[in-house]
Amino acid sequence: MEYLIGLGLAFGVTTFAAGAGFARSRNFYPVMLTVIASYYMLFAVQAADAGSLVLEAWILCGFLCLAVAGFRWNLWLVVAGLLGHGALDLVHPHWLPASGAPTWWPPFCLAYDVAAAACLAVRLLPPSPPAIAAELSAAEACERRGRPGEAFTHLERAHVLGQRSTLEHVRAHVRMLRWGLRRRDPREAGGQLIRILGAATKTTFGLVPPGNTGGSRVSAFRPLPIPQELAAIMAANPPTSWRDQMAAAWRAGASGQAI
């Protein structure tokens, strides 16, 4: 339950912050890391444990340095800091069991840290190419109009267009996962979880059946004919290399414009 609450709260806070405009400020996620990192020190104060307090203070200083460095130079350092704090949550109950932290806090904080890091990382990734972005936007519009079948067709087209790129391939499956969750379709949602892992690990090696539309009701290993108009778009727009995508993401972290 602690993990679920942590995930839900992190996604809720980051979604609200994005909608309200708070997350557009470069200091939002560094401040979040600072606040998160301070709680173990608070628990040590409550426990009146001087040894734990000193150690927690040193640990807090390390995360404060990452937060400041991320704010000043590159927000990917804040992503690293959130993930690093998640790793601390994992070992903290065994490393400092007498620090005063409630037993539910480390798993809750671990889930929150990882979810918040994922939300920031997604905001820093380069945007989709125009053809794929158009299909994703069309899918959103169809869902708003109550036409989920048409929405999924656009997601399938986005999958075909982007399956040569690891980033776009994963994005298409994440959107399909969201579609399955909103439709309360366990078969689609469960299948997409597996396909997200496959897209993340196999695309860069070319282990992708061309033309596969990506839905859970189609075998993930089955190649399909590519519609002529999509084939023309793919021929005119070769995929960006993984190295170029990561360079663009690093530049976005430095500039902060992506958020």
Side-chain angles (χ1 to χ4, degrees), residues 1-4 6-7 36 39-40 43 56 82 85-114:
M1 181 59 70
E2 294 91 340
Y3 293 105
L4 292 177
L7 288 172
I36 290 170
Y39 272 91
Y40 280 120
F43 295 139
E56 298 289 7
L82 288 167
H85 198 270
L88 174 65
D89 294 322
L90 193 62
V91 302
H92 199 280
H94 313 288
W95 186 31
L96 285 171
S99 65
T103 56
W104 54 267
W105 177 261
F108 163 82
C109 194
L110 169 61
Y112 189 101
D113 290 338
V114 172

Short mmCIF file of all heavy atoms in Angstrom, two decimals, residues 1-4 6-7 36 39-40 43 56 82 85-114:
data_model
loop_
_atom_site.label_atom_id
_atom_site.label_comp_id
_atom_site.label_asym_id
_atom_site.label_seq_id
_atom_site.Cartn_x
_atom_site.Cartn_y
_atom_site.Cartn_z
N MET A 1 0.83 -1.21 0.00
CA MET A 1 0.00 0.00 0.00
C MET A 1 0.87 1.27 0.00
O MET A 1 0.54 2.26 -0.64
CB MET A 1 -0.92 -0.03 1.23
CG MET A 1 -1.84 1.18 1.31
SD MET A 1 -2.93 1.36 -0.12
CE MET A 1 -4.02 -0.06 0.15
N GLU A 2 2.00 1.22 0.76
CA GLU A 2 2.87 2.39 0.81
C GLU A 2 3.41 2.74 -0.58
O GLU A 2 3.50 3.93 -0.94
CB GLU A 2 4.06 2.14 1.76
CG GLU A 2 3.66 1.98 3.22
CD GLU A 2 3.40 0.52 3.58
OE1 GLU A 2 3.15 -0.28 2.66
OE2 GLU A 2 3.44 0.20 4.78
N TYR A 3 3.74 1.71 -1.35
CA TYR A 3 4.26 1.95 -2.71
C TYR A 3 3.19 2.60 -3.58
O TYR A 3 3.47 3.54 -4.34
CB TYR A 3 4.72 0.63 -3.33
CG TYR A 3 5.93 0.02 -2.67
CD1 TYR A 3 5.81 -1.08 -1.83
CD2 TYR A 3 7.20 0.55 -2.88
CE1 TYR A 3 6.91 -1.65 -1.21
CE2 TYR A 3 8.31 -0.01 -2.27
CZ TYR A 3 8.17 -1.11 -1.44
OH TYR A 3 9.26 -1.67 -0.84
N LEU A 4 1.97 2.10 -3.51
CA LEU A 4 0.89 2.64 -4.33
C LEU A 4 0.58 4.09 -3.97
O LEU A 4 0.37 4.92 -4.86
CB LEU A 4 -0.37 1.78 -4.16
CG LEU A 4 -0.31 0.36 -4.73
CD1 LEU A 4 -1.59 -0.39 -4.42
CD2 LEU A 4 -0.06 0.40 -6.24
N GLY A 6 2.68 6.22 -2.60
CA GLY A 6 3.81 7.02 -3.06
C GLY A 6 3.74 7.31 -4.55
O GLY A 6 3.94 8.44 -4.99
N LEU A 7 3.44 6.27 -5.34
CA LEU A 7 3.31 6.46 -6.79
C LEU A 7 2.18 7.42 -7.11
O LEU A 7 2.33 8.35 -7.91
CB LEU A 7 3.07 5.11 -7.47
CG LEU A 7 4.24 4.14 -7.55
CD1 LEU A 7 3.77 2.79 -8.07
CD2 LEU A 7 5.34 4.70 -8.45
N ILE A 36 12.41 16.42 -0.01
CA ILE A 36 12.42 14.97 0.21
C ILE A 36 13.64 14.55 1.03
O ILE A 36 13.52 13.75 1.96
CB ILE A 36 12.40 14.24 -1.15
CG1 ILE A 36 11.04 14.40 -1.84
CG2 ILE A 36 12.73 12.76 -0.97
CD1 ILE A 36 11.03 13.90 -3.27
N TYR A 39 13.70 14.89 5.12
CA TYR A 39 12.81 14.20 6.06
C TYR A 39 13.55 13.26 7.00
O TYR A 39 13.19 13.15 8.17
CB TYR A 39 11.72 13.45 5.31
CG TYR A 39 10.51 14.30 5.03
CD1 TYR A 39 10.41 15.03 3.85
CD2 TYR A 39 9.47 14.42 5.95
CE1 TYR A 39 9.31 15.84 3.59
CE2 TYR A 39 8.37 15.21 5.72
CZ TYR A 39 8.30 15.92 4.52
OH TYR A 39 7.22 16.71 4.28
N TYR A 40 14.58 12.55 6.50
CA TYR A 40 15.29 11.63 7.39
C TYR A 40 15.97 12.38 8.53
O TYR A 40 16.08 11.88 9.65
CB TYR A 40 16.31 10.81 6.61
CG TYR A 40 15.69 9.64 5.86
CD1 TYR A 40 15.80 9.55 4.48
CD2 TYR A 40 15.00 8.65 6.55
CE1 TYR A 40 15.24 8.48 3.79
CE2 TYR A 40 14.44 7.58 5.87
CZ TYR A 40 14.56 7.50 4.48
OH TYR A 40 13.99 6.44 3.81
N PHE A 43 13.31 13.06 11.09
CA PHE A 43 13.01 11.87 11.89
C PHE A 43 14.10 11.64 12.94
O PHE A 43 13.81 11.21 14.07
CB PHE A 43 12.89 10.64 10.99
CG PHE A 43 11.72 10.70 10.04
CD1 PHE A 43 11.85 10.27 8.73
CD2 PHE A 43 10.48 11.16 10.47
CE1 PHE A 43 10.78 10.31 7.85
CE2 PHE A 43 9.40 11.21 9.60
CZ PHE A 43 9.55 10.78 8.28
N GLU A 56 22.76 11.82 9.09
CA GLU A 56 21.70 12.28 8.18
C GLU A 56 22.00 13.69 7.67
O GLU A 56 21.67 14.02 6.52
CB GLU A 56 20.34 12.27 8.89
CG GLU A 56 19.85 10.91 9.34
CD GLU A 56 19.44 9.99 8.20
OE1 GLU A 56 19.64 10.35 7.02
OE2 GLU A 56 18.94 8.89 8.49
N LEU A 82 17.07 12.22 -7.37
CA LEU A 82 15.84 11.54 -6.96
C LEU A 82 16.00 10.03 -6.98
O LEU A 82 15.56 9.32 -6.07
CB LEU A 82 14.69 11.97 -7.88
CG LEU A 82 14.20 13.41 -7.69
CD1 LEU A 82 13.31 13.82 -8.85
CD2 LEU A 82 13.46 13.56 -6.37
N HIS A 85 18.16 9.04 -4.07
CA HIS A 85 17.43 9.02 -2.81
C HIS A 85 16.54 7.79 -2.72
O HIS A 85 16.35 7.22 -1.64
CB HIS A 85 16.60 10.29 -2.64
CG HIS A 85 16.18 10.53 -1.23
ND1 HIS A 85 15.01 10.04 -0.70
CD2 HIS A 85 16.81 11.17 -0.20
CE1 HIS A 85 14.92 10.39 0.56
NE2 HIS A 85 16.00 11.08 0.91
N GLY A 86 16.01 7.36 -3.88
CA GLY A 86 15.26 6.11 -3.88
C GLY A 86 16.13 4.93 -3.47
O GLY A 86 15.68 4.03 -2.73
N ALA A 87 17.38 4.93 -3.94
CA ALA A 87 18.31 3.86 -3.53
C ALA A 87 18.59 3.93 -2.03
O ALA A 87 18.69 2.90 -1.35
CB ALA A 87 19.61 3.98 -4.33
N LEU A 88 18.70 5.16 -1.51
CA LEU A 88 18.88 5.33 -0.06
C LEU A 88 17.68 4.78 0.71
O LEU A 88 17.84 4.10 1.73
CB LEU A 88 19.08 6.80 0.27
CG LEU A 88 19.14 7.16 1.76
CD1 LEU A 88 20.38 6.54 2.42
CD2 LEU A 88 19.15 8.68 1.95
N ASP A 89 16.47 5.05 0.21
CA ASP A 89 15.27 4.51 0.85
C ASP A 89 15.31 2.99 0.93
O ASP A 89 14.83 2.38 1.89
CB ASP A 89 14.02 4.93 0.06
CG ASP A 89 13.78 6.43 0.10
OD1 ASP A 89 14.02 7.03 1.15
OD2 ASP A 89 13.37 6.98 -0.93
N LEU A 90 15.89 2.39 -0.11
CA LEU A 90 15.92 0.92 -0.17
C LEU A 90 16.79 0.33 0.93
O LEU A 90 16.47 -0.71 1.50
CB LEU A 90 16.43 0.49 -1.56
CG LEU A 90 16.27 -0.97 -1.95
CD1 LEU A 90 14.80 -1.36 -2.00
CD2 LEU A 90 16.93 -1.22 -3.31
N VAL A 91 17.90 0.99 1.24
CA VAL A 91 18.85 0.43 2.22
C VAL A 91 18.71 1.06 3.61
O VAL A 91 19.25 0.53 4.57
CB VAL A 91 20.30 0.60 1.73
CG1 VAL A 91 20.48 -0.07 0.37
CG2 VAL A 91 20.70 2.08 1.64
N HIS A 92 18.00 2.17 3.70
CA HIS A 92 17.96 2.92 4.96
C HIS A 92 17.45 2.09 6.14
O HIS A 92 18.04 2.16 7.24
CB HIS A 92 17.11 4.18 4.79
CG HIS A 92 17.37 5.21 5.83
ND1 HIS A 92 16.81 5.16 7.10
CD2 HIS A 92 18.13 6.35 5.80
CE1 HIS A 92 17.22 6.19 7.79
NE2 HIS A 92 18.01 6.94 7.05
N PRO A 93 16.38 1.31 6.00
CA PRO A 93 15.90 0.54 7.18
C PRO A 93 16.92 -0.45 7.71
O PRO A 93 16.89 -0.80 8.89
CB PRO A 93 14.67 -0.19 6.64
CG PRO A 93 14.24 0.58 5.44
CD PRO A 93 15.51 1.11 4.84
N HIS A 94 17.83 -0.92 6.84
CA HIS A 94 18.84 -1.90 7.27
C HIS A 94 20.13 -1.20 7.72
O HIS A 94 20.85 -1.72 8.57
CB HIS A 94 19.15 -2.84 6.11
CG HIS A 94 17.92 -3.38 5.43
ND1 HIS A 94 17.10 -4.33 6.03
CD2 HIS A 94 17.35 -3.08 4.24
CE1 HIS A 94 16.09 -4.60 5.22
NE2 HIS A 94 16.22 -3.87 4.12
N TRP A 95 20.37 -0.02 7.17
CA TRP A 95 21.61 0.70 7.47
C TRP A 95 21.46 1.55 8.73
O TRP A 95 22.36 1.62 9.56
CB TRP A 95 21.95 1.57 6.26
CG TRP A 95 23.26 2.27 6.34
CD1 TRP A 95 24.38 1.85 6.98
CD2 TRP A 95 23.58 3.53 5.75
NE1 TRP A 95 25.39 2.76 6.83
CE2 TRP A 95 24.93 3.79 6.07
CE3 TRP A 95 22.89 4.44 4.97
CZ2 TRP A 95 25.58 4.95 5.64
CZ3 TRP A 95 23.53 5.57 4.54
CH2 TRP A 95 24.87 5.82 4.87
N LEU A 96 20.31 2.22 8.87
CA LEU A 96 20.06 3.08 10.03
C LEU A 96 18.69 2.76 10.63
O LEU A 96 17.77 3.59 10.60
CB LEU A 96 20.12 4.56 9.62
CG LEU A 96 21.50 5.16 9.37
CD1 LEU A 96 21.36 6.54 8.77
CD2 LEU A 96 22.29 5.23 10.68
N PRO A 97 18.52 1.58 11.17
CA PRO A 97 17.20 1.20 11.68
C PRO A 97 16.74 2.02 12.88
O PRO A 97 15.55 2.07 13.19
CB PRO A 97 17.38 -0.27 12.06
CG PRO A 97 18.85 -0.43 12.31
CD PRO A 97 19.52 0.52 11.36
N ALA A 98 17.68 2.66 13.61
CA ALA A 98 17.31 3.41 14.82
C ALA A 98 17.21 4.91 14.55
O ALA A 98 17.24 5.70 15.48
CB ALA A 98 18.36 3.15 15.91
N SER A 99 17.05 5.30 13.29
CA SER A 99 17.07 6.73 12.96
C SER A 99 15.75 7.42 13.25
O SER A 99 15.65 8.64 13.13
CB SER A 99 17.41 6.92 11.49
OG SER A 99 16.38 6.38 10.67
N GLY A 100 14.71 6.68 13.61
CA GLY A 100 13.43 7.29 13.95
C GLY A 100 12.43 7.35 12.83
O GLY A 100 11.29 7.79 13.04
N ALA A 101 12.80 6.94 11.62
CA ALA A 101 11.87 6.98 10.49
C ALA A 101 10.77 5.93 10.68
O ALA A 101 11.05 4.79 11.06
CB ALA A 101 12.60 6.72 9.18
N PRO A 102 9.50 6.26 10.42
CA PRO A 102 8.43 5.25 10.50
C PRO A 102 8.70 4.12 9.52
O PRO A 102 9.32 4.32 8.46
CB PRO A 102 7.18 6.04 10.11
CG PRO A 102 7.53 7.48 10.27
CD PRO A 102 9.01 7.59 10.03
N THR A 103 8.22 2.95 9.82
CA THR A 103 8.48 1.79 8.96
C THR A 103 7.88 1.96 7.57
O THR A 103 8.38 1.39 6.60
CB THR A 103 7.93 0.51 9.61
OG1 THR A 103 6.53 0.69 9.88
CG2 THR A 103 8.67 0.20 10.90
N TRP A 104 6.80 2.74 7.46
CA TRP A 104 6.14 2.91 6.17
C TRP A 104 6.84 3.94 5.29
O TRP A 104 6.61 4.00 4.09
CB TRP A 104 4.68 3.34 6.35
CG TRP A 104 4.50 4.57 7.20
CD1 TRP A 104 4.26 4.62 8.53
CD2 TRP A 104 4.55 5.93 6.73
NE1 TRP A 104 4.16 5.92 8.95
CE2 TRP A 104 4.33 6.76 7.87
CE3 TRP A 104 4.76 6.52 5.50
CZ2 TRP A 104 4.32 8.15 7.78
CZ3 TRP A 104 4.76 7.91 5.40
CH2 TRP A 104 4.54 8.71 6.53
N TRP A 105 7.72 4.78 5.89
CA TRP A 105 8.28 5.88 5.13
C TRP A 105 9.23 5.44 4.01
O TRP A 105 9.09 5.93 2.87
CB TRP A 105 9.00 6.87 6.07
CG TRP A 105 9.66 7.99 5.30
CD1 TRP A 105 10.97 8.09 4.94
CD2 TRP A 105 9.01 9.13 4.74
NE1 TRP A 105 11.20 9.22 4.23
CE2 TRP A 105 10.00 9.89 4.08
CE3 TRP A 105 7.70 9.60 4.74
CZ2 TRP A 105 9.72 11.09 3.43
CZ3 TRP A 105 7.41 10.79 4.09
CH2 TRP A 105 8.40 11.52 3.44
N PRO A 106 10.22 4.56 4.26
CA PRO A 106 11.13 4.21 3.17
C PRO A 106 10.43 3.65 1.92
O PRO A 106 10.75 4.11 0.80
CB PRO A 106 12.08 3.18 3.81
CG PRO A 106 12.08 3.56 5.26
CD PRO A 106 10.67 3.97 5.54
N PRO A 107 9.49 2.69 2.02
CA PRO A 107 8.84 2.24 0.79
C PRO A 107 7.99 3.33 0.13
O PRO A 107 7.96 3.43 -1.11
CB PRO A 107 7.98 1.06 1.24
CG PRO A 107 7.83 1.20 2.71
CD PRO A 107 9.07 1.88 3.18
N PHE A 108 7.32 4.15 0.94
CA PHE A 108 6.55 5.26 0.38
C PHE A 108 7.46 6.23 -0.37
O PHE A 108 7.19 6.63 -1.50
CB PHE A 108 5.81 5.99 1.51
CG PHE A 108 5.32 7.36 1.12
CD1 PHE A 108 4.14 7.51 0.42
CD2 PHE A 108 6.06 8.49 1.46
CE1 PHE A 108 3.69 8.78 0.06
CE2 PHE A 108 5.62 9.76 1.10
CZ PHE A 108 4.43 9.90 0.39
N CYS A 109 8.56 6.61 0.29
CA CYS A 109 9.47 7.58 -0.30
C CYS A 109 10.17 7.01 -1.53
O CYS A 109 10.41 7.72 -2.51
CB CYS A 109 10.50 8.03 0.75
SG CYS A 109 11.44 9.49 0.28
N LEU A 110 10.50 5.72 -1.50
CA LEU A 110 11.12 5.08 -2.65
C LEU A 110 10.21 5.19 -3.88
O LEU A 110 10.66 5.57 -4.97
CB LEU A 110 11.40 3.61 -2.33
CG LEU A 110 11.80 2.71 -3.51
CD1 LEU A 110 13.08 3.20 -4.16
CD2 LEU A 110 11.96 1.26 -3.04
N ALA A 111 8.93 4.86 -3.71
CA ALA A 111 7.99 4.93 -4.82
C ALA A 111 7.85 6.37 -5.31
O ALA A 111 7.81 6.63 -6.52
CB ALA A 111 6.64 4.36 -4.40
N TYR A 112 7.77 7.30 -4.37
CA TYR A 112 7.63 8.71 -4.74
C TYR A 112 8.86 9.19 -5.51
O TYR A 112 8.74 9.86 -6.55
CB TYR A 112 7.42 9.56 -3.49
CG TYR A 112 7.05 10.99 -3.80
CD1 TYR A 112 5.73 11.41 -3.70
CD2 TYR A 112 8.02 11.92 -4.20
CE1 TYR A 112 5.38 12.73 -3.99
CE2 TYR A 112 7.68 13.23 -4.50
CZ TYR A 112 6.36 13.62 -4.40
OH TYR A 112 6.02 14.93 -4.70
N ASP A 113 10.04 8.86 -5.01
CA ASP A 113 11.28 9.29 -5.65
C ASP A 113 11.38 8.79 -7.09
O ASP A 113 11.69 9.55 -8.02
CB ASP A 113 12.50 8.77 -4.87
CG ASP A 113 12.66 9.45 -3.52
OD1 ASP A 113 12.14 10.56 -3.36
OD2 ASP A 113 13.29 8.84 -2.64
N VAL A 114 11.13 7.50 -7.29
CA VAL A 114 11.25 6.92 -8.62
C VAL A 114 10.22 7.52 -9.57
O VAL A 114 10.53 7.85 -10.73
CB VAL A 114 11.10 5.38 -8.55
CG1 VAL A 114 11.04 4.78 -9.95
CG2 VAL A 114 12.26 4.78 -7.76
#
